[in-house]
Amino acid sequence: MRSRIKTIVLSIFTTLTLSLGLMSCSSDINDYANTSPQFALDEYFNGELTAHGMVQDRSGKVLRRFTVAMVGTWQGNKGTLEEDFVYDDGERQRRVWHIEKTADGHYTGTADDVVVPAKGQTQGFALNWRYTLAVPVDGKVWSINFNDWMYQLDDKRVLNRAEMTKFGFKVGEVTLWIERKS
């Protein structure tokens, strides 16, 4: 009986230790509350921008590279971000985001290929939002979850890193360097 109790206690302790360890590895938007510059999505993504990026698989191997021409426009708390992608193999893709500022620092976003709308917020120089995107893979369309982090480095540059997951497992990453044209 004692050895069974000891085993149960050890199991609970191990589970708690692993859970706390995993929680400490994940970022929280509130970690950036006292940083600057203050990332205002509706201000930064207003006008012409250019981005350069890559898609990596779960092991870090670069699968694709791309550039994106972007134009953002805002009317009050509603904005549109037009993205025109050109991939290294010549493929072209267009995504038009419809974004709404719902509260101080909180945003939602939709696009034709966004299965679950984006929800997120800014704190300091960071934005974190999550959404599910319909991604074509080998003739099929997969719903891929994105945990998207943007960091405004200065008034012209944003670094964007998104982790992609399916069924809770990491399947890849997207990294972008975004620059305002003016």
Side-chain angles (χ1 to χ4, degrees):
M1 180 74 161
R2 261 187 182 189
S3 67
R4 180 158 165 74
I5 292 173
K6 197 177 208 179
T7 302
I8 291 170
V9 169
L10 183 58
S11 176
I12 291 170
F13 176 76
T14 303
T15 302
L16 287 173
T17 302
L18 287 173
S19 296
L20 289 173
L22 289 174
M23 286 180 1
S24 68
C25 292
S26 64
S27 293
D28 183 283
I29 192 66
N30 294 314
D31 293 342
Y32 304 101
N34 297 317
T35 62
S36 62
Q38 294 295 309
F39 192 0
L41 190 72
D42 50 326
E43 292 175 18
Y44 183 80
F45 287 102
N46 193 15
E48 293 184 35
L49 305 104
T50 302
H52 302 274
M54 63 182 176
V55 179
Q56 296 170 268
D57 67 13
R58 68 178 172 255
S59 70
K61 178 183 174 187
V62 176
L63 301 175
R64 300 183 90 181
R65 293 169 288 133
F66 58 90
T67 59
V68 189
M70 300 178 190
V71 177
T73 55
W74 286 82
Q75 300 256 328
N77 66 336
K78 294 186 181 198
T80 301
L81 180 62
E82 300 173 61
E83 299 177 321
D84 290 300
F85 293 79
V86 179
Y87 292 90
D88 56 342
D89 62 3
E91 180 186 347
R92 294 178 178 273
Q93 181 184 36
R94 181 171 175 82
R95 177 173 301 115
V96 179
W97 282 96
H98 301 282
I99 304 167
E100 184 174 359
K101 185 176 184 177
T102 58
D104 188 36
H106 288 79
Y107 295 88
T108 60
T110 60
D112 288 343
D113 57 350
V114 174
V115 179
V116 175
K119 290 183 180 180
Q121 74 176 95
T122 58
Q123 285 286 340
F125 76 101
L127 163 77
N128 177 231
W129 69 352
R130 297 168 187 257
Y131 54 93
T132 303
L133 189 66
V135 177
V137 178
D138 298 328
K140 296 180 182 178
V141 178
W142 292 77
S143 291
I144 304 292
N145 300 310
F146 279 70
N147 181 9
D148 206 338
W149 283 90
M150 294 185 201
Y151 305 97
Q152 185 173 358
L153 304 177
D154 57 34
D155 64 334
K156 292 197 180 276
R157 288 170 277 278
V158 164
L159 186 59
N160 185 183
R161 185 169 173 256
E163 183 180 68
M164 300 181 295
T165 59
K166 178 78 177 161
F167 303 122
F169 296 98
K170 180 179 176 179
V171 296
E173 284 188 21
V174 177
T175 306
L176 285 133
W177 177 264
I178 306 168
E179 290 192 64
R180 290 182 53 86
K181 284 194 173 182
S182 53

